[in-house]
Amino acid sequence: MSLRRPRHLGWWAGAAFAGLVTLSLATGLVGHATVTSPSMAPAHDAGSTLVTTTLGTSRLDHGDVVVFDLPRSWSDAERQRLGTAPADASATDAMVKRVIGLPGDRVTCCAPGGALLRNGRVLDEPYLAEPSTEVANGTYDVTVPPGHVWVLGDNRRRSFDSRAMRARPGESGFLPLSTVRARVLLGWP
């Protein structure tokens, strides 16, 4: 006795997949974003399209790439850095960065050669645009408070991130978890 596949199984599977994709897009579970700066190169160059999900944003992991809404202080600092007027929000609504430190983590820069330390261990960062150096990272030793993360770009020489905010008077550089909009699933040029 041989088992036969129903004739229309492929059509039904395709229709179910299309329905799932439509439902995911309609509910906001799956979305997209566009990278607007070179700060995440080489993994995500400027102009790359990213597929994102809102699932799991409350349970981030080290190395996750996230899209986040800029807190007011970050937005003001980025506009000042770019020399744009406050009304020009389009350039600074959201950013894409990599999660380096989670609540309770101690992130230190730098170990010899410019490498980052997380909880006393040197980070392996194969995604970096170029090897770490003290010049690209600056010096800091921070412990991420509850409800926050420490985020950095992969192209450290061209990234406005937690380091840049920490360098501003009265700022800590910690990003509130409440501002994380989505996690990046994949991207392409």
Side-chain angles (χ1 to χ4, degrees), residues 87-134:
D88 182 13
S90 62
T92 56
D93 287 353
M95 284 187 175
V96 178
K97 302 292 177 211
R98 189 174 301 273
V99 175
I100 300 298
L102 296 169
D105 284 338
R106 182 178 178 192
V107 182
T108 307
C109 186
C110 294
L116 290 182
L117 298 164
R118 182 174 53 230
N119 301 324
R121 293 195 168 140
V122 173
L123 290 184
D124 179 26
E125 297 186 283
Y127 43 77
L128 290 179
E130 57 187 58
S132 289
T133 65
E134 288 88 350

Side-chain angles (χ1 to χ4, degrees), residues 3-187:
L3 294 175
R4 294 179 53 186
R5 189 179 93 179
R7 285 194 306 170
H8 300 292
L9 182 62
W11 183 88
W12 283 107
F17 180 74
L20 182 60
V21 168
T22 302
L23 179 63
S24 294
L25 290 171
T27 61
L29 294 176
V30 175
H32 72 286
T34 302
V35 179
T36 60
S37 79
S39 70
M40 289 302 293
H44 305 293
D45 291 317
S48 295
T49 299
L50 307 175
V51 176
T52 64
T53 183
T54 57
L55 289 176
T57 55
S58 62
R59 296 180 308 273
L60 297 176
D61 201 1
H62 297 115
D64 282 348
V65 176
V66 295
V67 178
F68 59 93
D69 295 318
L70 290 175
R72 178 64 187 236
S73 61
W74 285 57
S75 180
D76 290 348
E78 177 68 346
R79 285 187 182 109
Q80 184 180 27
R81 185 180 76 84
L82 294 174
T84 58
D88 182 13
S90 62
T92 56
D93 287 353
M95 284 187 175
V96 178
K97 302 292 177 211
R98 189 174 301 273
V99 175
I100 300 298
L102 296 169
D105 284 338
R106 182 178 178 192
V107 182
T108 307
C109 186
C110 294
L116 290 182
L117 298 164
R118 182 174 53 230
N119 301 324
R121 293 195 168 140
V122 173
L123 290 184
D124 179 26
E125 297 186 283
Y127 43 77
L128 290 179
E130 57 187 58
S132 289
T133 65
E134 288 88 350
V135 173
N137 277 324
T139 301
Y140 50 87
D141 186 354
V142 298
T143 300
V144 183
H148 293 79
V149 289
W150 185 263
V151 295
L152 299 177
D154 292 353
N155 187 355
R156 303 275 159 85
R157 290 186 186 271
R158 310 261 330 255
S159 182
F160 181 86
D161 50 35
S162 288
R163 300 165 304 152
M165 284 306 297
R166 185 174 185 285
R168 296 181 63 82
E171 291 293 335
S172 65
F174 302 117
L175 179 72
L177 278 168
S178 61
T179 65
V180 175
R181 182 189 297 180
R183 242 178 349 103
V184 173
L185 296 173
L186 60 101

